[in-house]
């Protein structure tokens, strides 16, 4: 059985890791380099690194911090923020990233996923979708959750996977930072729609929430979280021990 991955997320703004609630009210946490190194040593399976204002500010993702971060970690690193064309993939991968995450860029440039997958392989291309309920429907948002695209989230994800995205990160804006549990309804719909790895993001507040995630959705591949790891509310070794006690396969 494939082990479930536990993935800390580093949301970076102005060179520092930040965290908010429902994508707002950001507060500074720590240096991304120091935090990434810590997670690499304490049992995280992967890291996700987002430059959360690059798209909204219309600039390229900063590479200095990324290069330094990549040099300190020895687990897979997924990087996103301001990815607009294939040259951005080249730049980020050359800085040490293993996978590149796209959100706003894939909507603005509908050929991007297919072009990147053809050049670098499906395994390098991650579609990250910021999703929120709007009048009972799941919509995709862009620019750090600031703008509703009107796109139906499940159909958009299916299209991206069909064009070559090898992994999906589902960011539930409704549950982000609230610590009330993962968005099971949304995640079930995504897992039923695609056959590539799906990562759950948004809502983790306790070890029990990870247990619930993997028990209710056996097909989910990973649980991603930020604040509960950053502020020491959940220690990754303790989380993995608890998951193993529930017969959920993890890398100890």
């Amino acid at each position: 059985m494939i082990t479930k991955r536990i993935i800390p997320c580093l949301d970076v703004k102005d060179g520092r890791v930040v965290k908010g609630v429902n994508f707002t009210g950001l507060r500074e946490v720590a240096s991304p380099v120091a935090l990434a190194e810590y997670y690499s040593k304490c049992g995280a399976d992967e890291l996700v690194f987002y430059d959360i204002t690059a798209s909204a500010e219309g600039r390229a993702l900063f590479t200095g911090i990324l290069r330094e971060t990549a040099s300190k970690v020895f687990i897979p690193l997924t990087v996103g923020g301001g990815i607009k064309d294939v040259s951005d993939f080249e730049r980020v991968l050359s800085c040490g990233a293993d996978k590149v995450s796209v959100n706003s860029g894939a909507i603005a440039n509908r050929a991007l996923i297919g072009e990147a997958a053809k050049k670098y392989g499906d395994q390098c291309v991650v579609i990250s979708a910021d999703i929120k309920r709007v009048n009972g429907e799941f919509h995709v948002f862009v620019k750090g959750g600031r703008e509703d695209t009107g796109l139906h989230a499940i159909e958009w994800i299916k299209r991206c996977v069909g064009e070559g995205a090898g992994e999906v990160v589902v960011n539930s804006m409704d549950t982000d930072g609230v610590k009330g549990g993962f968005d099971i309804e949304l995640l079930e719909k995504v897992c039923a729609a695609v056959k590539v790895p799906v990562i759950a993001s948004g809502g983790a507040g306790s070890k029990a929430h990870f247990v619930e995630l993997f028990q209710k959705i056996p097909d989910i591949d990973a649980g991603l979280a930020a604040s509960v790891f950053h502020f020491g509310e959940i220690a990754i070794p303790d989380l993995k021990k608890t998951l193993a006690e529930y017969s959920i396969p993890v890398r100890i």
Side-chain angles (χ1 to χ4, degrees):
M1 186 178 291
I2 297 175
T3 58
K4 304 301 183 182
R5 291 173 286 155
I6 301 301
I7 306 175
C9 178
L10 310 183
D11 291 328
V12 180
K13 181 178 185 291
D14 300 326
R16 302 289 288 179
V17 176
V18 297
K19 191 66 186 92
V21 177
N22 299 131
F23 281 43
T24 63
L26 300 178
R27 58 173 169 153
E28 185 177 306
V29 177
S31 155
V33 178
L35 204 52
E37 188 173 13
Y38 165 76
Y39 287 134
S40 182
K41 291 177 178 178
C42 77
D45 296 295
E46 297 186 15
L47 284 174
V48 171
F49 181 113
Y50 288 137
D51 182 345
I52 61 171
T53 57
S55 292
E57 294 170 2
R59 60 172 172 78
L61 182 148
F62 43 75
T63 55
I65 290 175
L66 170 57
R67 196 180 299 276
E68 187 178 0
T69 300
S71 72
K72 301 289 187 181
V73 303
F74 302 97
I75 54 177
L77 178 63
T78 298
V79 177
I83 307 298
K84 298 178 180 178
D85 54 43
V86 173
S87 67
D88 290 319
F89 272 76
E90 176 67 34
R91 182 168 51 82
V92 170
L93 291 170
S94 69
C95 287
D98 298 282
K99 294 180 279 190
V100 181
S101 176
V102 292
N103 182 351
S104 302
I107 293 171
N109 177 3
R110 297 298 174 93
L112 177 58
I113 288 176
E115 291 174 354
K118 184 176 181 180
K119 185 168 184 178
Y120 300 108
D122 294 8
Q123 77 285 350
C124 280
V125 183
V126 179
I127 180 65
S128 176
D130 296 337
I131 302 171
K132 184 176 182 180
R133 289 167 177 79
V134 178
N135 297 323
E137 296 184 346
F138 292 111
H139 283 201
V140 177
F141 280 65
V142 293
K143 297 182 180 178
R146 297 170 180 82
E147 183 178 306
D148 183 0
T149 65
L151 288 171
H152 185 278
I154 308 302
E155 294 306 312
W156 169 245
I157 289 171
K158 286 172 63 176
R159 171 178 171 164
C160 292
V161 170
E163 292 177 354
E167 190 166 75
V168 178
V169 178
V170 179
N171 305 307
S172 172
M173 294 178 63
D174 294 311
T175 60
D176 175 73
V178 178
K179 300 181 183 178
F182 290 97
D183 196 330
I184 301 298
E185 179 191 10
L186 170 58
L187 293 164
E188 284 178 333
K189 290 181 182 297
V190 174
C191 286
V194 299
K195 300 303 180 184
V196 299
V198 175
I199 298 171
S201 173
S206 67
K207 291 185 289 184
H209 290 150
F210 284 90
V211 173
E212 178 189 44
L213 171 70
F214 294 125
Q215 287 186 333
K216 287 192 172 181
I217 315 178
D219 289 337
I220 205 84
D221 286 80
L224 180 151
S227 59
V228 290
F229 295 145
H230 298 342
F231 300 118
E233 296 167 45
I234 299 176
I236 291 176
D238 291 344
L239 171 59
K240 287 191 168 186
K241 181 180 178 181
T242 297
L243 293 173
E245 289 171 353
Y246 281 88
S247 299
I248 296 166
V250 290
R251 180 182 66 86
I252 302 295

